[in-house]
Amino acid sequence: MRNPHIHRRDLLMGAAAMAPMVMAGRAFAAPQAGSRLLVVFLRGAYDAVNIVVPSTSDFYRQSRPTIALPRPDPANPDAPLPLDADWALHPALKDSILPLWQAKQIAFVPFAGTDDMSRSHFETQDTIELGQPVGGHRDYGSGFMARLADILGTGEKPIAFTDQLPLCFRGGDDPIPNLALANVGKPIDQRQATLIQSMYAGHPDLARSVSEGFTVRDTVYKTLDQEMKAASRGAVSAKGFALSAQRIGTLMRDRFNLAFVDVGGWDTHVNQGGATGYLADRIGDLGRGLAGFAQAIGPEAWRSTTVVVVSEFGRTFRENGDRGTDHGHGSIYWVMGGGVSGGRMAGEQVPLSAATLNQNRDLPVLTDYRALIGGLVGRQFGLSASRLAPLFPDSRTTDLRLI
Amino acid sequence: MARIACLGMMVPALLAAAPASAADAARDAAWAERLGWGPSAAADGGPAPGSDAWLRHQLSDPPAPLPPAAQAQIDAMRISRERVAALVVETDAMQRDLKAITDPDQRKAARQAYQKTLNGLADEARQRFVLRALYSPDQLRERMTWFWFNHFNVQAGKRDIRAMVGDYEETIRAHALGRYRDLLEATLRHPAMLRYLDNDQNAKGKINENYAREIMELHSMGVGSGYSQQDVQELARILTGVGVDQKPDAPKLKPELQPLYQRAGLFEFNPARHDFGTKHFLGHEIKGSGFAEVEQALDLIADSPATAHHVSLRIATYFMGDTPPPALVDRMAAKFRQSHGDIAQVLRTMIRSREFGGAATGGFKEPVGYTLSAVRLAYGGRDVTNAKPIINWMRQMGEGLYDHETPDGYDLSSAAWSGPGQMATRFDIARQIGGGAARLFQSPDAAPDAPPPPSPPPLLKDSPVIAARMATLGKPTLAALGQARSPAEWNSLYFSSPEFMHR
């Protein structure tokens, strides 16, 4: 199927929503089985324990004299909101994430992360996105989301909502589209698009990237056309991540089922704040965005959607000299979705004390991210162990029965 | 310097001096792509690109003047007329004053004025960067300035770095072809870096590791090259007291500390904030002595074989694409060590290598390089009076100037920029540049909805650079160009072609 002209025309005739459109080997149509996965990457290593707070730990408050959140207290608006006997949620997530917890549609996995001890943002982000064993030779041409797309085969509809193609989506059998949702513009005139594609016919690296680019631009533009027209007439529209997340919800309801988005700005070495302040503002935005995503995707699609929120590592358990935190190790991941068995803290845990910290500095990792995501994906997409094997080579899955 | 800069004199591409032969022209254009921001619509005289005299000039002569029209734009900027310290003191005072205003409307207005001033300073720096990239005869220095800025990345949006970013780039430009050790220290002494990576907050008993870690990981040795978490912590201790001060007077210090105090512009080393204990760094003992410890640490870092290799690999990747030949990188690293980090010598080793000369292209163009090369080719002979559209195009493609949030800088690999969504955006921009890009010739103060002056698309097809390149274009590209219905469409297609995506 290498005649992009025909398929573009079909697409423009409005058949896209119903009939599968095969463009450069990839189908674009409403998801069949309906399973959807969104990976949200918090780049910069978010300070997990100030968001999902070990609220009964005195050690926590002693370690963070200025930034710790107080004990849960219904009378105190700055206090975290109890999740269970040991953990509580940052108050900035009260209206967005807490209702999901109460509906048992979100679980938190504390002590989660990688076995990468470099504490380098970039090294560890790469570690996660590549999903290859630490210490071996790295193949930068094979990200785990791209491998998942390949395992699932021709029915999958992957996309990265980023302005660059992230490492996790590089190296698939077919090029995976990326699109920054803030930049969606009217697609180029069809005649010129056809001429441009003709120049790339047979180009080893770029031919499919180019045709995929035109297709995805058309697809997204059509889906978001109404919303963009409303926005351009001055309708109040969400901003920043909240806007992107809503748009992602709309697009994943109808068009895509395997998606990635990243949110930066979590590297809080200085003045990160506590119940209010910099980190509270950011996490509030994130929570509103994710709640908006769940709403936009709609109740039906939400039932078969899983959202996994990860970050490259946690931060020092103790605050640093500048009312912030430095690079640490274990983090707390989020798993949410209409079909998630949530309302609980999942995975292995240890009591927090100086003795249980990793290198007397940060959280140990007890749930490996590869085992966690492998287990989730296996259940969600019904993949046998042998089909799942290439996703995270040399890794065992952990089935936390979250789906 | 017998270079005749005939840029900026409204010389249409067609009238640029014809080179001796089409083969010469193609070769000159290839050098301009590989080592500069691409061939310009204006010929710039001087020795033939690639010749020894040309390389000597590019690597060692002092910078040549810009064309007068571009220079006049730069001279009129605040960042040219005022010292960075004065700009920072002024904007800092604005911020302090607005905090004291109680009336909400007045306070809002004052905050907007403060943000506008800061944004204006960063925008001036961006425009200056673009003007130099478009018109400077010192194209290799300009390429290297961008390379090093990205290597020692700071983000303008953090704190008040917008007021400093222009000066930071100037500092880098001055050292771009000099010694790595000097460049490293120049970035360390710059308030933009100290603010960006929080070292202005790093003090004895209040350690902040952020900058220490990135020096090791990103700026010098590279992650996994042998330093430890312990080394990072020790370097953070060595860097205590290195910070920024914008107050007019030095702090009050005990008499024994006064001789150790250092101040240069906004840079400050405050011994009262320094940890004078003994440190163990990269296998060496460093005795507490004040800023001399930083010098010692930088010597160790700059002399490390890991640094020579890491920096050489980055340079080779930048100029040669994703996988530069390892043997060449090793020779560059050997030259780095032998010359004590002489960047020009490392570059010469690469440029004069068999591998560089034999490579078909210099890799996939990142958005900044793509935009600049298209604008130089289309409009390098005209005076761009408004660089803002150029700045916006780079931003739309995900590589805005001084916008990268994290200290790793923008990705050097082609896969980061050639994804489907990015290609589609690139073709939109190709159409705008090819179609006349009238807003480039608008007054920079024009209202956003004001109609731009008429700007017919350039007749790119007839330019000598293109004429020389036609023979190198593939059949599909020639066939598509043959179907163009207008000069604007011809240009857009050329700028959208696979050949133009590569250096």
Side-chain angles (χ1 to χ4, degrees):
Chain A
M1 303 302 288
R2 283 306 184 85
N3 190 335
H5 178 77
I6 291 171
H7 298 297
R8 267 185 60 78
R9 190 184 58 205
D10 289 350
L11 196 71
L12 293 171
M13 284 164 64
M18 305 306 292
M21 306 307 307
V22 178
M23 170 70 77
R26 196 181 294 293
F28 281 90
Q32 296 297 311
S35 272
R36 299 166 176 85
L37 173 70
L38 170 66
V39 174
V40 180
F41 201 134
L42 308 184
R43 293 194 194 272
Y46 90 118
D47 183 25
V49 293
N50 251 29
I51 304 303
V52 181
V53 185
S55 55
T56 51
S57 165
D58 290 331
F59 178 55
Y60 161 75
R61 268 176 296 278
Q62 286 155 11
S63 303
R64 299 177 162 228
T66 72
I67 63 170
L69 272 63
R71 284 177 179 281
D73 173 1
N76 179 1
D78 284 348
L81 315 156
L83 294 172
D84 65 9
D86 298 321
W87 300 88
L89 191 65
H90 195 286
L93 298 174
K94 183 180 176 189
D95 298 326
S96 54
I97 301 300
L98 187 64
L100 288 166
W101 174 272
Q102 288 158 345
K104 300 198 185 306
Q105 293 184 349
I106 184 167
F108 296 103
V109 186
F111 306 98
T114 73
D115 53 350
D116 186 321
M117 288 300 296
S118 67
R119 295 196 183 90
S120 149
H121 292 300
F122 318 107
E123 182 81 357
T124 316
Q125 288 176 20
D126 290 358
T127 297
I128 291 181
E129 293 192 58
L130 293 174
Q132 300 161 13
V134 169
H137 171 74
R138 292 189 163 197
D139 176 2
Y140 283 86
S142 179
F144 89 86
M145 296 282 283
R147 292 198 296 276
L148 178 59
D150 288 347
I151 291 169
L152 294 176
T154 52
E156 95 287 10
K157 292 145 289 279
I159 188 167
F161 296 107
T162 52
D163 59 14
Q164 284 178 45
L165 187 64
L167 209 49
C168 66
F169 262 144
R170 290 193 200 159
D173 290 345
D174 293 309
I176 287 161
N178 68 290
L179 199 70
L181 286 173
N183 293 342
V184 180
K186 205 169 161 56
I188 221 163
D189 156 79
Q190 194 198 329
R191 181 177 160 277
Q192 283 186 12
T194 308
L195 281 174
I196 290 170
Q197 287 184 70
S198 74
M199 293 193 287
Y200 287 85
H203 193 285
D205 304 322
L206 296 173
R208 291 191 298 173
S209 183
V210 168
S211 59
E212 192 87 22
F214 283 118
T215 310
V216 76
R217 184 73 84 85
D218 284 352
T219 307
V220 171
Y221 185 77
K222 275 169 117 62
T223 308
L224 299 181
D225 191 28
Q226 289 304 317
E227 182 246 315
M228 289 190 295
K229 276 181 187 148
S232 69
R233 284 197 301 266
V236 179
S237 96
K239 285 197 178 122
F241 180 69
L243 172 64
S244 294
Q246 269 178 27
R247 289 179 164 183
I248 292 169
T250 308
L251 288 161
M252 287 189 74
R253 182 185 64 212
D254 297 331
R255 307 280 180 174
F256 302 98
N257 71 335
L258 215 52
F260 175 90
V261 65
D262 52 11
V263 189
W266 305 94
D267 194 17
T268 50
H269 288 273
V270 173
N271 290 333
Q272 70 177 48
T276 58
Y278 177 83
L279 181 62
D281 290 347
R282 288 218 70 91
I283 203 75
D285 279 345
L286 178 78
R288 281 188 294 279
L290 292 175
F293 166 85
Q295 204 152 43
I297 202 168
E300 196 185 323
W302 179 238
R303 273 197 288 278
S304 54
T305 299
T306 306
V307 179
V308 184
V309 179
V310 304
S311 190
E312 62 265 37
F313 44 72
R315 306 190 72 82
T316 46
F317 193 75
R318 299 178 184 88
E319 72 177 74
N320 68 12
D322 300 321
R323 299 187 297 280
T325 45
D326 292 322
H327 298 188
H329 189 49
S331 184
I332 301 177
Y333 290 173
W334 310 8
V335 178
M336 54 193 272
V340 163
S341 160
R344 62 193 175 102
M345 304 297 295
E348 194 183 338
Q349 300 176 36
V350 284
L352 281 163
S353 70
T356 55
L357 290 186
N358 168 58
Q359 297 178 351
N360 192 24
R361 179 181 169 101
D362 38 40
L363 295 193
V365 169
L366 306 176
T367 299
D368 179 77
Y369 79 105
R370 302 200 307 157
L372 170 69
I373 297 177
L376 277 174
V377 163
R379 282 184 85 88
Q380 185 173 14
F381 293 93
L383 298 173
S384 65
S386 61
R387 278 189 75 200
L388 200 56
L391 181 61
F392 293 117
D394 300 330
S395 164
R396 301 172 83 91
T397 58
T398 298
D399 188 355
L400 299 180
R401 305 210 159 258
L402 285 165
I403 299 175
Chain B
M1 197 169 316
R3 295 175 65 82
I4 306 151
C6 65
L7 316 171
M9 291 161 47
M10 302 297 284
V11 182
L14 298 179
L15 300 183
S21 72
D24 289 349
R27 189 205 58 213
D28 291 2
W31 280 105
E33 288 281 15
R34 297 286 297 279
L35 293 177
W37 292 119
S40 170
D44 75 321
S51 66
D52 285 338
W54 176 85
L55 192 57
R56 204 177 317 118
H57 168 74
Q58 291 288 324
L59 288 175
S60 21
D61 288 349
L66 290 184
Q71 189 59 48
Q73 278 193 61
I74 291 172
D75 291 344
M77 294 177 179
R78 284 195 76 188
I79 55 168
S80 308
R81 291 183 282 116
E82 298 174 51
R83 295 168 60 88
V84 64
L87 294 170
V88 170
V89 167
E90 181 194 313
T91 49
D92 185 56
M94 285 176 86
Q95 192 192 25
R96 252 182 298 114
D97 292 349
L98 82 84
K99 283 182 179 160
I101 300 173
T102 48
D103 180 79
D105 289 342
Q106 284 180 17
R107 186 165 168 163
K108 190 177 169 196
R111 176 171 293 117
Q112 282 171 348
Y114 168 68
Q115 293 296 342
K116 193 176 168 196
T117 304
L118 279 181
N119 288 338
L121 294 169
D123 281 340
E124 282 188 354
R126 294 185 176 100
Q127 286 160 33
R128 183 179 64 185
F129 173 82
V130 167
L131 289 169
R132 285 176 170 157
L134 292 181
Y135 300 115
S136 171
D138 296 284
Q139 286 283 299
L140 183 54
R141 180 181 292 275
E142 290 302 314
R143 279 279 306 272
M144 286 304 288
T145 299
W146 174 243
F147 169 80
W148 288 123
F149 188 101
N150 196 52
H151 185 83
F152 293 101
N153 184 53
V154 303
Q155 186 206 20
K158 184 168 177 176
R159 293 168 72 184
D160 60 351
I161 291 173
R162 282 167 286 176
M164 308 169 174
V165 72
D167 188 73
Y168 182 67
E169 186 184 271
E170 280 296 71
T171 304
I172 287 175
R173 182 175 278 103
H175 293 285
L177 300 166
R179 285 191 188 280
Y180 171 81
R181 168 71 176 76
D182 298 340
L183 175 60
L184 181 64
E185 181 161 344
T187 56
L188 182 139
R189 286 172 167 271
H190 203 281
M193 178 58 81
L194 295 171
R195 287 256 160 101
Y196 175 63
L197 287 176
D198 305 320
N199 207 76
D200 57 341
Q201 319 267 325
N202 182 22
K204 181 184 182 181
K206 298 175 69 177
I207 296 290
N208 190 312
E209 295 172 9
N210 202 12
Y211 183 38
R213 178 181 302 280
E214 304 309 5
I215 287 180
M216 307 290 290
E217 175 182 339
L218 298 172
H219 300 165
S220 63
M221 295 172 67
V223 71
S225 60
Y227 64 87
S228 65
Q229 171 67 32
Q230 186 70 20
D231 287 320
V232 170
Q233 286 167 242
E234 293 292 90
L235 182 58
R237 289 176 65 212
I238 291 168
L239 287 171
T240 48
V242 174
V244 180
D245 192 7
Q246 58 216 44
K247 292 190 285 295
D249 302 318
K252 294 216 183 332
L253 295 169
K254 293 179 195 157
E256 67 271 23
L257 291 180
Q258 280 169 10
L260 296 173
Y261 181 76
Q262 280 198 32
R263 176 82 182 259
L266 295 165
F267 167 82
E268 176 190 71
F269 174 72
N270 184 348
R273 293 165 56 82
H274 183 70
D275 175 345
F276 279 91
T278 300
K279 290 95 179 174
H280 299 274
F281 179 62
L282 295 179
H284 294 257
E285 185 178 280
I286 295 186
K287 288 252 191 303
S289 60
F291 193 76
E293 294 168 49
V294 178
E295 302 282 4
Q296 275 177 275
L298 293 186
D299 287 342
L300 290 172
I301 290 168
D303 284 344
S304 139
T307 298
H309 188 267
H310 179 65
V311 172
S312 297
L313 177 62
R314 295 265 304 174
I315 292 175
T317 305
Y318 178 65
F319 283 101
M320 298 183 70
D322 290 336
T323 44
L328 172 58
V329 175
D330 288 346
R331 297 205 303 281
M332 291 165 68
K335 178 59 79 178
F336 188 105
R337 296 194 69 191
Q338 182 211 332
S339 67
H340 297 286
D342 185 324
I343 298 160
Q345 291 203 44
V346 174
L347 282 168
R348 182 185 294 276
T349 299
M350 177 188 75
I351 294 164
R352 286 298 185 225
S353 72
R354 176 176 41 77
E355 293 94 328
F356 186 86
T361 81
F364 188 83
K365 289 176 187 171
E366 75 292 356
V368 165
Y370 175 79
T371 311
L372 291 171
S373 64
V375 174
R376 271 174 64 84
L377 188 54
Y379 306 110
R382 293 177 63 181
D383 291 331
V384 167
T385 50
N386 175 23
K388 283 180 191 162
I390 297 172
I391 293 162
N392 284 335
W393 291 326
M394 295 167 177
R395 202 172 267 155
Q396 276 171 39
M397 286 187 276
E399 201 183 21
L401 299 175
Y402 326 139
D403 285 350
H404 192 71
E405 188 176 310
T406 50
D408 53 338
Y410 288 112
D411 198 330
L412 298 181
S413 71
S414 63
W417 305 111
S418 61
Q422 289 159 302
M423 295 304 288
T425 305
R426 207 172 261 223
F427 300 139
D428 283 346
I429 288 161
R431 201 166 40 145
Q432 294 176 56
I433 298 175
R439 296 207 183 271
L440 296 179
F441 309 103
Q442 200 169 29
S443 157
D445 306 319
D449 51 353
S455 170
L459 296 173
L460 215 53
K461 182 164 70 155
D462 301 329
S463 85
V465 173
I466 298 282
R469 292 187 142 192
M470 288 303 272
T472 66
L473 301 180
K475 269 187 191 155
T477 298
L478 290 169
L481 289 170
Q483 293 182 61
R485 290 175 178 166
S486 66
E489 193 169 78
W490 198 98
N491 300 342
S492 317
L493 289 169
Y494 182 74
F495 289 143
S496 302
S497 68
E499 290 86 349
F500 192 73
M501 297 299 157
H502 296 85
R503 291 198 161 89

